[in-house]
Amino acid sequence: MITANAQATFGPSEPFKATTIDRRDLGPRDVLIEIKYCGICHSDIHHARSEWRQEQYPLVPGHEIAGIVAEVGSEVTKFAVGDRVGVGCMVDSCGECENCRKGEEQYCLKGNTLTYADVDKYGQRTQGGYSTHIVVEEDFVLRIPEGISLDVAAPLLCAGITTYSPLRRWEAGPGKKVAVVGLGGLGHMAVKIARAMGAEVTVLSQTLRKKEDGLRLGADHYYATSDPETFEKLAGTLDLIINTVSAKIDVDAYLSLLALDGTLVNVGAPAEPLSLNVFSLLGQRRSYAGSLIGGIRETQEMLDAKHNIGAEIEVISVDKIDEAYERVLASDVRYRFVIDISTMTA
Ligand code: NAP
Ligand code: ZN
Protein backbone atom coordinates (compact mmCIF):
# COMPACT_ATOMS: atom_id res chain seq x y z
CA MET A 1 0.00 0.00 0.00
CA ILE A 2 1.00 3.58 -0.68
CA THR A 3 -0.07 6.11 1.94
CA ALA A 4 -1.29 9.46 0.63
CA ASN A 5 -2.17 12.58 2.56
CA ALA A 6 -5.70 13.77 1.84
CA GLN A 7 -8.53 16.07 2.84
CA ALA A 8 -11.72 14.20 3.66
CA THR A 9 -15.18 15.03 4.86
CA PHE A 10 -16.59 12.68 7.51
CA GLY A 11 -20.28 13.45 7.01
CA PRO A 12 -22.66 15.52 4.88
CA SER A 13 -22.35 18.61 7.04
CA GLU A 14 -18.82 18.10 8.35
CA PRO A 15 -15.85 20.34 7.52
CA PHE A 16 -12.83 18.99 5.65
CA LYS A 17 -10.06 17.49 7.76
CA ALA A 18 -6.57 16.17 7.08
CA THR A 19 -6.33 12.39 6.92
CA THR A 20 -4.38 9.65 5.19
CA ILE A 21 -5.67 7.18 2.62
CA ASP A 22 -4.28 4.00 1.10
CA ARG A 23 -3.55 3.75 -2.58
CA ARG A 24 -3.01 0.27 -4.00
CA ASP A 25 0.49 -0.93 -4.88
CA LEU A 26 1.19 -0.52 -8.57
CA GLY A 27 -0.12 -3.28 -10.80
CA PRO A 28 1.63 -3.85 -14.14
CA ARG A 29 -0.57 -1.30 -15.98
CA ASP A 30 -0.85 1.25 -13.18
CA VAL A 31 0.58 4.73 -12.97
CA LEU A 32 1.38 6.49 -9.69
CA ILE A 33 0.69 10.21 -9.97
CA GLU A 34 1.98 12.88 -7.65
CA ILE A 35 -0.93 15.31 -7.65
CA LYS A 36 -0.04 18.98 -8.02
CA TYR A 37 -3.47 20.61 -8.44
CA CYS A 38 -7.09 19.55 -8.09
CA GLY A 39 -10.10 21.60 -9.16
CA ILE A 40 -13.26 21.93 -7.05
CA CYS A 41 -16.28 20.90 -9.12
CA HIS A 42 -19.84 21.56 -7.97
CA SER A 43 -20.31 17.78 -8.22
CA ASP A 44 -17.80 17.46 -5.35
CA ILE A 45 -20.26 19.46 -3.24
CA HIS A 46 -23.26 17.36 -4.34
CA HIS A 47 -21.29 14.23 -3.34
CA ALA A 48 -19.69 15.59 -0.16
CA ARG A 49 -23.12 16.60 1.13
CA SER A 50 -24.93 13.43 0.01
CA GLU A 51 -27.26 15.50 -2.18
CA TRP A 52 -27.59 12.90 -4.96
CA ARG A 53 -27.59 9.81 -2.72
CA GLN A 54 -26.37 8.69 0.67
CA GLU A 55 -22.56 8.53 0.41
CA GLN A 56 -20.04 6.56 2.47
CA TYR A 57 -17.65 8.55 4.65
CA PRO A 58 -14.87 9.50 4.97
CA LEU A 59 -15.04 10.85 1.45
CA VAL A 60 -12.20 12.47 -0.47
CA PRO A 61 -13.64 14.30 -3.51
CA GLY A 62 -11.75 15.62 -6.52
CA HIS A 63 -11.93 14.65 -10.18
CA GLU A 64 -10.05 17.48 -11.84
CA ILE A 65 -6.59 16.13 -11.16
CA ALA A 66 -3.32 17.36 -12.67
CA GLY A 67 0.09 16.06 -11.66
CA ILE A 68 3.32 14.34 -12.56
CA VAL A 69 3.97 10.63 -13.07
CA ALA A 70 6.04 9.39 -10.14
CA GLU A 71 6.25 5.68 -10.97
CA VAL A 72 4.93 3.28 -13.61
CA GLY A 73 4.04 -0.43 -13.57
CA SER A 74 6.12 -2.94 -15.52
CA GLU A 75 3.77 -3.09 -18.55
CA VAL A 76 2.92 0.60 -18.85
CA THR A 77 3.66 1.84 -22.38
CA LYS A 78 1.93 5.21 -22.62
CA PHE A 79 3.60 7.10 -19.77
CA ALA A 80 7.01 7.55 -18.18
CA VAL A 81 8.19 9.05 -14.90
CA GLY A 82 8.06 12.86 -15.11
CA ASP A 83 5.19 13.07 -17.61
CA ARG A 84 2.53 15.74 -17.06
CA VAL A 85 -0.80 14.00 -16.68
CA GLY A 86 -4.41 14.38 -15.65
CA VAL A 87 -7.25 12.26 -14.32
CA GLY A 88 -10.93 13.13 -14.68
CA CYS A 89 -14.16 11.64 -13.38
CA MET A 90 -13.51 7.99 -14.25
CA VAL A 91 -10.69 5.61 -13.38
CA ASP A 92 -11.98 2.41 -15.01
CA SER A 93 -14.72 0.87 -17.14
CA CYS A 94 -15.49 -2.61 -18.48
CA GLY A 95 -13.67 -1.92 -21.76
CA GLU A 96 -15.79 -4.50 -23.57
CA CYS A 97 -19.34 -3.21 -23.93
CA GLU A 98 -20.57 -1.49 -27.05
CA ASN A 99 -20.15 1.96 -25.53
CA CYS A 100 -16.66 1.37 -24.16
CA ARG A 101 -15.59 0.02 -27.56
CA LYS A 102 -16.85 3.26 -29.10
CA GLY A 103 -14.73 5.28 -26.65
CA GLU A 104 -17.77 6.40 -24.67
CA GLU A 105 -16.60 4.93 -21.36
CA GLN A 106 -18.71 7.46 -19.47
CA TYR A 107 -21.73 5.48 -20.70
CA CYS A 108 -20.22 2.03 -19.92
CA LEU A 109 -23.11 -0.45 -19.87
CA LYS A 110 -21.63 -2.34 -16.93
CA GLY A 111 -21.02 0.88 -15.00
CA ASN A 112 -17.67 2.63 -15.00
CA THR A 113 -15.67 3.31 -11.87
CA LEU A 114 -15.82 6.89 -10.66
CA THR A 115 -12.64 8.53 -9.41
CA TYR A 116 -14.21 8.84 -5.95
CA ALA A 117 -17.32 7.69 -4.08
CA ASP A 118 -17.25 4.36 -5.90
CA VAL A 119 -15.85 0.84 -5.49
CA ASP A 120 -13.18 -0.38 -7.91
CA LYS A 121 -12.68 -3.85 -9.36
CA TYR A 122 -10.39 -4.70 -6.43
CA GLY A 123 -13.25 -4.02 -4.01
CA GLN A 124 -11.59 -0.85 -2.67
CA ARG A 125 -13.47 2.42 -2.19
CA THR A 126 -12.17 5.02 -4.61
CA GLN A 127 -10.99 8.34 -3.21
CA GLY A 128 -10.36 11.45 -5.28
CA GLY A 129 -7.84 14.14 -5.96
CA TYR A 130 -7.89 16.22 -2.78
CA SER A 131 -4.82 14.13 -1.97
CA THR A 132 -1.12 13.91 -2.67
CA HIS A 133 -1.06 10.72 -4.76
CA ILE A 134 -3.33 8.53 -6.83
CA VAL A 135 -2.86 5.21 -8.63
CA VAL A 136 -4.72 4.88 -11.93
CA GLU A 137 -4.60 2.37 -14.76
CA GLU A 138 -2.85 3.96 -17.75
CA ASP A 139 -5.89 3.84 -20.05
CA PHE A 140 -7.63 6.36 -17.77
CA VAL A 141 -4.70 8.74 -17.52
CA LEU A 142 -4.64 11.76 -19.84
CA ARG A 143 -1.60 13.53 -21.19
CA ILE A 144 -1.43 17.28 -20.47
CA PRO A 145 0.40 18.94 -23.35
CA GLU A 146 3.34 21.31 -22.88
CA GLY A 147 2.14 24.88 -23.25
CA ILE A 148 -0.62 24.68 -20.68
CA SER A 149 0.25 24.86 -17.01
CA LEU A 150 -1.05 22.21 -14.65
CA ASP A 151 -3.15 24.56 -12.49
CA VAL A 152 -5.27 25.92 -15.35
CA ALA A 153 -5.35 22.49 -17.02
CA ALA A 154 -6.86 20.69 -14.00
CA PRO A 155 -10.44 21.97 -14.56
CA LEU A 156 -10.36 20.75 -18.15
CA LEU A 157 -10.59 17.21 -16.80
CA CYS A 158 -14.23 17.74 -15.80
CA ALA A 159 -15.55 21.25 -16.51
CA GLY A 160 -13.71 21.33 -19.84
CA ILE A 161 -14.72 17.95 -21.21
CA THR A 162 -18.29 18.18 -19.87
CA THR A 163 -18.90 21.24 -22.02
CA TYR A 164 -16.61 20.31 -24.95
CA SER A 165 -18.46 17.03 -25.49
CA PRO A 166 -21.99 18.43 -26.06
CA LEU A 167 -20.62 21.41 -27.99
CA ARG A 168 -18.99 18.90 -30.38
CA ARG A 169 -21.96 16.53 -30.42
CA TRP A 170 -24.45 19.32 -31.28
CA GLU A 171 -21.98 20.96 -33.68
CA ALA A 172 -21.30 24.36 -32.19
CA GLY A 173 -19.44 26.29 -34.86
CA PRO A 174 -19.66 29.15 -37.32
CA GLY A 175 -23.26 30.16 -37.99
CA LYS A 176 -24.54 28.52 -34.79
CA LYS A 177 -26.08 30.54 -31.99
CA VAL A 178 -25.07 28.95 -28.70
CA ALA A 179 -26.17 30.09 -25.25
CA VAL A 180 -24.62 29.08 -21.96
CA VAL A 181 -26.78 29.22 -18.84
CA GLY A 182 -24.79 29.92 -15.64
CA LEU A 183 -21.32 31.46 -15.67
CA GLY A 184 -19.60 29.22 -13.15
CA GLY A 185 -16.96 26.50 -13.56
CA LEU A 186 -18.64 24.63 -16.42
CA GLY A 187 -20.24 27.75 -17.87
CA HIS A 188 -17.04 29.74 -18.30
CA MET A 189 -15.38 26.78 -20.02
CA ALA A 190 -18.40 26.43 -22.29
CA VAL A 191 -18.08 30.09 -23.29
CA LYS A 192 -14.37 29.78 -24.07
CA ILE A 193 -14.75 26.52 -26.00
CA ALA A 194 -17.86 27.56 -27.96
CA ARG A 195 -16.07 30.77 -28.94
CA ALA A 196 -12.98 28.81 -30.03
CA MET A 197 -15.25 26.59 -32.15
CA GLY A 198 -16.50 29.71 -33.92
CA ALA A 199 -20.06 29.90 -32.59
CA GLU A 200 -21.91 33.09 -31.70
CA VAL A 201 -22.05 32.89 -27.90
CA THR A 202 -24.62 34.27 -25.48
CA VAL A 203 -24.35 34.06 -21.70
CA LEU A 204 -27.54 33.78 -19.67
CA SER A 205 -26.61 34.58 -16.08
CA GLN A 206 -28.83 35.40 -13.10
CA THR A 207 -27.59 39.01 -13.09
CA LEU A 208 -25.28 41.28 -15.10
CA ARG A 209 -22.71 41.18 -12.27
CA LYS A 210 -20.17 39.17 -14.30
CA LYS A 211 -20.93 40.73 -17.70
CA GLU A 212 -17.45 42.18 -18.23
CA ASP A 213 -15.86 38.82 -17.53
CA GLY A 214 -18.28 37.01 -19.80
CA LEU A 215 -17.48 39.29 -22.72
CA ARG A 216 -13.75 39.01 -22.03
CA LEU A 217 -14.04 35.20 -21.99
CA GLY A 218 -15.49 35.33 -25.49
CA ALA A 219 -19.24 35.89 -25.25
CA ASP A 220 -20.84 38.08 -27.93
CA HIS A 221 -23.95 38.80 -25.83
CA TYR A 222 -24.76 38.73 -22.13
CA TYR A 223 -28.22 38.80 -20.56
CA ALA A 224 -29.68 38.56 -17.07
CA THR A 225 -32.25 35.81 -16.60
CA SER A 226 -33.76 37.79 -13.71
CA ASP A 227 -34.95 40.26 -16.36
CA PRO A 228 -38.17 38.96 -17.99
CA GLU A 229 -37.38 40.99 -21.12
CA THR A 230 -34.45 38.65 -21.80
CA PHE A 231 -36.85 35.81 -22.54
CA GLU A 232 -39.00 37.97 -24.80
CA LYS A 233 -36.03 39.31 -26.70
CA LEU A 234 -34.35 35.95 -27.35
CA ALA A 235 -37.51 33.89 -28.00
CA GLY A 236 -37.02 31.40 -30.86
CA THR A 237 -33.49 32.56 -31.74
CA LEU A 238 -30.98 30.04 -30.37
CA ASP A 239 -29.69 26.78 -31.91
CA LEU A 240 -28.13 25.25 -28.82
CA ILE A 241 -28.36 25.98 -25.11
CA ILE A 242 -25.95 24.41 -22.63
CA ASN A 243 -27.52 24.59 -19.17
CA THR A 244 -24.87 24.34 -16.44
CA VAL A 245 -27.06 25.40 -13.52
CA SER A 246 -26.71 23.21 -10.42
CA ALA A 247 -30.28 23.97 -9.28
CA LYS A 248 -33.78 23.66 -10.75
CA ILE A 249 -34.53 25.84 -13.78
CA ASP A 250 -37.73 26.72 -15.62
CA VAL A 251 -37.19 24.30 -18.51
CA ASP A 252 -40.10 25.68 -20.57
CA ALA A 253 -38.72 29.21 -20.41
CA TYR A 254 -35.36 28.08 -21.80
CA LEU A 255 -36.93 25.82 -24.45
CA SER A 256 -38.90 28.82 -25.70
CA LEU A 257 -35.59 30.45 -26.67
CA LEU A 258 -34.77 27.71 -29.20
CA ALA A 259 -35.27 28.07 -32.94
CA LEU A 260 -36.52 25.22 -35.17
CA ASP A 261 -34.68 21.95 -34.32
CA GLY A 262 -32.82 23.63 -31.49
CA THR A 263 -31.56 21.64 -28.50
CA LEU A 264 -31.37 22.39 -24.80
CA VAL A 265 -28.66 20.24 -23.23
CA ASN A 266 -28.62 19.83 -19.47
CA VAL A 267 -25.19 19.27 -18.01
CA GLY A 268 -26.16 20.78 -14.66
CA ALA A 269 -27.24 18.03 -12.31
CA PRO A 270 -29.66 19.24 -9.63
CA ALA A 271 -30.86 16.61 -7.19
CA GLU A 272 -34.53 17.49 -7.70
CA PRO A 273 -36.51 16.37 -10.77
CA LEU A 274 -37.25 18.94 -13.46
CA SER A 275 -40.54 19.14 -15.31
CA LEU A 276 -41.60 20.53 -18.66
CA ASN A 277 -44.65 21.11 -20.82
CA VAL A 278 -44.45 18.88 -23.91
CA PHE A 279 -45.81 21.71 -26.06
CA SER A 280 -42.50 23.50 -25.47
CA LEU A 281 -40.90 20.72 -27.54
CA LEU A 282 -43.57 20.18 -30.19
CA GLY A 283 -43.79 23.71 -31.53
CA GLN A 284 -40.38 24.06 -33.14
CA ARG A 285 -39.39 20.34 -33.11
CA ARG A 286 -37.11 21.12 -30.19
CA SER A 287 -35.05 18.60 -28.21
CA TYR A 288 -34.17 18.40 -24.55
CA ALA A 289 -31.05 16.34 -23.91
CA GLY A 290 -28.49 15.49 -21.27
CA SER A 291 -24.77 14.85 -21.50
CA LEU A 292 -22.32 13.28 -19.07
CA ILE A 293 -18.62 14.29 -19.08
CA GLY A 294 -16.91 12.77 -22.16
CA GLY A 295 -14.92 9.69 -23.18
CA ILE A 296 -11.19 9.28 -22.65
CA ARG A 297 -10.33 9.67 -26.35
CA GLU A 298 -12.49 12.78 -26.57
CA THR A 299 -10.88 14.23 -23.42
CA GLN A 300 -7.43 13.75 -24.93
CA GLU A 301 -8.66 15.33 -28.16
CA MET A 302 -9.86 18.37 -26.17
CA LEU A 303 -6.53 18.65 -24.31
CA ASP A 304 -4.60 18.41 -27.57
CA ALA A 305 -6.79 20.94 -29.41
CA LYS A 306 -4.73 23.75 -30.82
CA HIS A 307 -6.44 26.51 -28.86
CA ASN A 308 -4.75 25.52 -25.57
CA ILE A 309 -7.63 26.81 -23.50
CA GLY A 310 -7.13 26.77 -19.75
CA ALA A 311 -9.61 27.64 -17.02
CA GLU A 312 -9.81 30.97 -15.16
CA ILE A 313 -8.84 29.91 -11.70
CA GLU A 314 -8.43 30.98 -8.10
CA VAL A 315 -5.75 28.84 -6.49
CA ILE A 316 -6.39 28.03 -2.82
CA SER A 317 -4.54 26.23 -0.07
CA VAL A 318 -6.05 23.09 1.47
CA ASP A 319 -7.34 24.90 4.55
CA LYS A 320 -9.71 26.93 2.34
CA ILE A 321 -11.83 24.08 0.91
CA ASP A 322 -14.87 24.69 3.14
CA GLU A 323 -14.79 28.39 2.37
CA ALA A 324 -14.49 27.67 -1.36
CA TYR A 325 -17.56 25.38 -1.17
CA GLU A 326 -19.60 28.20 0.39
CA ARG A 327 -18.46 30.60 -2.30
CA VAL A 328 -19.35 28.16 -5.09
CA LEU A 329 -22.81 27.75 -3.54
CA ALA A 330 -23.20 31.54 -3.49
CA SER A 331 -22.24 31.70 -7.24
CA ASP A 332 -19.15 33.59 -6.09
CA VAL A 333 -16.57 31.66 -8.06
CA ARG A 334 -14.36 33.23 -10.73
CA TYR A 335 -14.38 30.74 -12.24
CA ARG A 336 -12.90 27.61 -10.72
CA PHE A 337 -11.25 27.01 -7.37
CA VAL A 338 -8.14 24.88 -7.71
CA ILE A 339 -6.41 23.39 -4.68
CA ASP A 340 -2.63 23.71 -4.56
CA ILE A 341 -1.78 20.22 -3.32
CA SER A 342 1.72 21.32 -2.22
CA THR A 343 -0.03 22.98 0.75
CA MET A 344 -1.18 19.53 1.95
CA THR A 345 1.42 18.75 4.54
CA ALA A 346 -0.36 16.17 6.66
P1 NAP B 1 -20.85 26.26 -10.45
O1 NAP B 1 -19.44 26.70 -10.63
O2 NAP B 1 -21.52 26.44 -9.15
O3 NAP B 1 -21.72 26.97 -11.61
C1 NAP B 1 -23.10 26.91 -11.68
C2 NAP B 1 -23.63 28.30 -12.07
O4 NAP B 1 -25.05 28.20 -12.21
C3 NAP B 1 -23.42 29.37 -11.04
O5 NAP B 1 -22.17 29.99 -11.11
C4 NAP B 1 -24.53 30.34 -11.37
O6 NAP B 1 -24.15 31.15 -12.48
C5 NAP B 1 -25.65 29.43 -11.82
N1 NAP B 1 -26.60 29.16 -10.73
C6 NAP B 1 -26.33 28.63 -9.52
N2 NAP B 1 -27.45 28.51 -8.78
C7 NAP B 1 -28.45 28.96 -9.54
C8 NAP B 1 -29.85 29.09 -9.35
N3 NAP B 1 -30.43 28.73 -8.20
N4 NAP B 1 -30.59 29.58 -10.37
C9 NAP B 1 -30.01 29.96 -11.52
N5 NAP B 1 -28.67 29.85 -11.74
C10 NAP B 1 -27.92 29.37 -10.77
O7 NAP B 1 -20.98 24.71 -10.75
P2 NAP B 1 -20.24 23.79 -11.85
O8 NAP B 1 -19.07 23.14 -11.21
O9 NAP B 1 -20.09 24.53 -13.09
O10 NAP B 1 -21.32 22.62 -12.01
C11 NAP B 1 -22.62 22.93 -12.45
C12 NAP B 1 -23.52 21.72 -12.39
O11 NAP B 1 -23.06 20.76 -13.35
C13 NAP B 1 -23.54 20.97 -11.06
O12 NAP B 1 -24.86 20.51 -10.82
C14 NAP B 1 -22.60 19.81 -11.31
O13 NAP B 1 -22.86 18.70 -10.48
C15 NAP B 1 -22.93 19.49 -12.73
N6 NAP B 1 -21.92 18.73 -13.44
C16 NAP B 1 -22.36 17.86 -14.37
C17 NAP B 1 -21.45 17.16 -15.13
C18 NAP B 1 -21.92 16.24 -16.21
O14 NAP B 1 -21.18 15.35 -16.61
N7 NAP B 1 -23.10 16.43 -16.72
C19 NAP B 1 -20.07 17.33 -14.91
C20 NAP B 1 -19.67 18.24 -13.96
C21 NAP B 1 -20.60 18.96 -13.22
P3 NAP B 1 -24.64 32.69 -12.62
O15 NAP B 1 -24.18 33.35 -11.37
O16 NAP B 1 -23.93 33.13 -13.85
O17 NAP B 1 -26.13 32.67 -12.78
ZN1 ZN C 1 -16.98 17.57 -12.08
Side-chain angles (χ1 to χ4, degrees):
M1 288 289 181
I2 299 156
T3 303
N5 290 331
Q7 284 281 322
T9 176
F10 290 75
S13 43
E14 297 295 317
F16 277 88
K17 282 198 192 110
T19 188
T20 57
I21 52 174
D22 293 331
R23 301 298 194 184
R24 65 174 178 267
D25 287 327
L26 263 65
R29 301 200 55 225
D30 283 339
V31 173
L32 172 66
I33 300 166
E34 188 183 326
I35 302 175
K36 298 291 185 191
Y37 294 97
C38 185
I40 293 181
C41 177
H42 203 120
S43 301
D44 295 350
I45 305 179
H46 292 304
H47 276 292
R49 302 193 170 181
S50 284
E51 287 173 358
W52 285 335
R53 60 177 187 204
Q54 181 56 51
E55 303 287 353
Q56 308 263 321
Y57 296 90
L59 184 148
V60 179
H63 58 207
E64 292 187 338
I65 298 169
I68 304 285
V69 173
E71 202 180 326
V72 293
S74 57
E75 291 170 18
V76 167
T77 58
K78 298 179 187 161
F79 298 99
V81 171
D83 283 355
R84 305 163 82 247
V85 293
V87 178
C89 300
M90 302 177 280
V91 287
D92 204 1
S93 75
C94 85
E96 289 164 1
C97 74
E98 209 181 319
N99 294 350
C100 283
R101 286 204 311 267
K102 278 195 259 180
E104 304 267 28
E105 302 88 354
Q106 72 278 32
Y107 303 118
C108 173
L109 294 170
K110 294 190 180 154
N112 48 37
T113 308
L114 297 178
T115 303
Y116 66 85
D118 208 346
V119 177
D120 65 20
K121 65 183 167 211
Y122 309 102
Q124 249 198 341
R125 291 207 64 74
T126 58
Q127 300 284 17
Y130 298 4
S131 63
T132 52
H133 298 82
I134 191 167
V135 175
V136 180
E137 201 185 295
E138 65 172 335
D139 288 347
F140 285 80
V141 178
L142 285 306
R143 185 173 294 282
I144 297 179
E146 296 297 331
I148 178 160
S149 54
L150 293 179
D151 51 359
V152 299
L156 298 177
L157 278 305
C158 176
I161 185 59
T162 300
T163 49
Y164 178 87
S165 184
L167 286 167
R168 278 284 317 260
R169 168 81 177 71
W170 280 277
E171 300 174 340
K176 285 283 175 81
K177 291 186 174 171
V178 175
V180 176
V181 190
L183 194 67
L186 267 55
H188 95 286
M189 287 311 310
V191 171
K192 286 183 152 202
I193 295 169
R195 169 62 175 244
M197 288 175 173
E200 182 179 331
V201 184
T202 298
V203 172
L204 298 171
S205 180
Q206 293 166 97
T207 65
L208 296 179
R209 207 161 41 96
K210 295 177 279 190
K211 181 172 178 182
E212 245 175 64
D213 288 351
L215 298 179
R216 179 175 52 80
L217 292 168
D220 301 283
H221 317 283
Y222 200 105
Y223 295 99
T225 54
S226 52
D227 179 356
E229 273 183 26
T230 294
F231 289 88
E232 283 165 34
K233 194 164 180 179
L234 297 179
T237 63
L238 300 167
D239 300 305
L240 175 64
I241 303 175
I242 307 286
N243 171 34
T244 76
V245 175
S246 49
K248 265 178 106 157
I249 58 155
D250 180 347
V251 180
D252 296 304
Y254 288 97
L255 286 171
S256 75
L257 305 185
L258 293 170
L260 180 65
D261 289 329
T263 304
L264 167 61
V265 182
N266 232 86
V267 290
E272 313 79 30
L274 298 175
S275 65
L276 64 88
N277 185 326
V278 166
F279 287 95
S280 303
L281 298 172
L282 303 185
Q284 294 295 314
R285 199 165 53 198
R286 294 164 174 139
S287 304
Y288 186 28
S291 185
L292 185 69
I293 44 174
I296 295 296
R297 193 169 57 219
E298 194 177 29
T299 308
Q300 192 62 60
E301 171 190 297
M302 172 204 61
L303 288 165
D304 292 340
K306 293 284 171 281
H307 28 74
N308 263 344
I309 293 174
E312 301 268 311
I313 60 169
E314 189 173 326
V315 176
I316 59 163
S317 51
V318 289
D319 54 325
K320 296 281 190 283
I321 297 172
D322 297 305
E323 195 180 310
Y325 273 31
E326 290 310 319
R327 286 185 52 197
V328 170
L329 289 168
S331 302
D332 178 25
V333 49
R334 297 193 181 204
Y335 282 85
R336 199 56 142 185
F337 290 107
V338 171
I339 307 167
D340 177 353
I341 300 297
S342 72
T343 61
M344 194 170 286
T345 46

